[in-house]
Amino acid sequence: AAEIYMHRFLLSSAVRTFNPEEADWFYTPVYTTCDLTPNGLPLPFKSPRMMRSAIQLIASNWPYWNRTEGADHFFITPHDFGACFHYQEEKAIERGILPLLQRATLVQTFGQRNHVCLKDGSITIPPYAPPQKMQSHLIPPDTPRSIFVYFRGLFYDVGNDPEGGYYARGARAAVWENFKDNPLFDISTEHPTTYYEDMQRAIFCLCPLGWAPWSPRLVEAVIFGCIPVIIADDIVLPFADAIPWEDIGVFVAEKDVPNLDTILTSIPPEEILRKQRLLANPSMKQAMLFPQPA
């Protein structure tokens, strides 16, 4: 969805020009993440072919790509591992960024320090979360936060990782194995219809890595004022120059997941309040959403 919303955003942008001679940048809309499997999951394997044919088209129809080999062009690549176009890290690393895109600027949701799938000059953006839908689930802001730790999602991905340990580098499995019976942890694979309301009743929301380090939970936690507990070593977070992630979130190393209860219960109440006050700042929420109209 980030591809579609960025495209819409740019169509109505005040800095758009119809004169290519005036342009500093060229945007090429290619919806690679909209190529889905029959059951609705992104299918990154055909993305390189789609990208190649798009670049072939713009390179043969206009002179601008060939002038710089695409150095003044940008693409939105919101796959798990950006323009490496694979959801499994080992295979993504093996593939590397599509060679044709080496000089272009990539706008992507994936960010991890010292990783072959994040090159210098790439821009990390938040994943898309539906603003209208989130708006419709808001509850009164003075509702007490009675849930200490909240998480809904997979702990294991049996279909793609039958032996376990590879998915989420074992971090999600460690959350489940250590805290499934802990009364402070409201964690489950069930996705209730009250998911957004529950986040607004929680103090901490777990944002562990999955196949990739990032997930929409980051955006949801910020929007709903739930302190994000970020479990993804070396993650590069969106708009890090504008959003004080260290001040609003809690970072827990993947190896420290077994001590999660101790880490969170030892955070002083005044620090929790300070983080909550920062999260309540409307500019924080604004930075994370794709507004309509743009």
Side-chain angles (χ1 to χ4, degrees):
E3 296 167 309
I4 296 166
Y5 280 91
M6 285 293 281
H7 189 184
R8 282 189 190 170
F9 172 73
L10 292 159
L11 286 175
S12 60
S13 167
V15 296
R16 183 185 184 196
T17 174
F18 287 90
N19 176 1
E21 300 308 323
E22 278 181 4
D24 299 297
W25 288 95
F26 295 89
Y27 163 60
T28 310
V30 189
Y31 293 173
T32 55
T33 35
C34 294
D35 186 15
L36 303 175
T37 62
N39 59 351
L41 294 168
L43 186 72
F45 316 121
K46 290 193 229 150
S47 302
R49 200 185 316 162
M50 203 190 289
M51 269 300 178
R52 275 194 291 267
S53 69
I55 290 169
Q56 212 175 337
L57 177 83
I58 60 171
S60 54
N61 285 359
W62 297 282
Y64 310 105
W65 176 272
N66 297 331
R67 225 168 37 178
T68 61
E69 289 179 323
D72 52 5
H73 287 58
F74 69 94
F75 295 84
I76 320 290
T77 53
H79 268 295
D80 281 349
F81 289 95
C84 289
F85 297 127
H86 204 290
Y87 66 92
Q88 287 181 332
E89 187 169 22
E90 263 171 39
K91 296 203 172 114
I93 290 171
E94 213 174 284
R95 281 184 161 199
I97 290 172
L98 188 67
L100 263 183
L101 295 173
Q102 285 297 350
R103 296 205 65 198
T105 290
L106 302 175
V107 177
Q108 56 189 59
T109 40
F110 169 74
Q112 189 173 310
R113 282 187 289 280
N114 309 317
H115 199 284
V116 298
C117 302
L118 179 71
K119 64 193 183 81
D120 281 349
S122 294
I123 298 164
T124 313
I125 58 164
Y128 176 81
Q132 288 87 342
K133 187 178 169 191
M134 295 170 100
Q135 191 71 38
S136 69
H137 286 267
L138 287 176
I139 61 176
D142 53 0
T143 307
R145 290 188 178 263
S146 52
I147 301 168
F148 189 63
V149 178
Y150 188 72
F151 175 79
R152 290 292 181 274
L154 290 178
F155 297 100
Y156 306 91
D157 186 346
V158 182
N160 294 300
D161 179 25
E163 289 170 32
Y166 189 65
Y167 175 62
R169 297 198 280 253
R172 290 193 187 203
V175 168
W176 179 248
E177 283 151 23
N178 286 283
F179 305 111
K180 61 175 183 280
D181 299 321
N182 185 318
L184 292 177
F185 282 68
D186 186 345
I187 59 174
S188 160
T189 52
E190 300 299 311
H191 229 291
T193 50
T194 54
Y195 176 65
Y196 283 160
E197 287 82 354
D198 294 345
M199 279 188 131
Q200 294 166 79
R201 294 191 184 97
I203 295 171
F204 294 106
C205 288
L206 300 185
C207 301
L209 73 162
W211 282 111
W214 60 274
S215 88
R217 287 184 192 81
L218 269 179
V219 177
E220 294 162 346
V222 171
I223 298 303
F224 294 131
C226 187
I227 297 166
V229 178
I230 297 158
I231 307 167
D233 296 355
D234 294 322
I235 189 170
V236 173
L237 290 157
F239 304 143
D241 53 343
I243 297 174
W245 288 106
E246 297 284 344
D247 298 335
I248 61 173
V250 174
F251 288 80
V252 176
E254 292 164 29
K255 67 171 173 46
D256 294 335
V257 166
N259 311 321
L260 203 48
D261 52 348
T262 315
I263 292 167
L264 296 178
T265 51
S266 60
I267 297 172
E270 57 275 19
E271 195 181 325
I272 290 175
L273 280 171
R274 193 172 53 82
K275 288 180 187 296
Q276 288 172 333
R277 272 197 295 272
L278 282 169
L279 282 168
N281 181 339
S283 69
M284 213 67 75
K285 302 185 194 317
Q286 211 177 334
M288 297 298 278
L289 287 175
F290 290 73
Q292 291 296 107

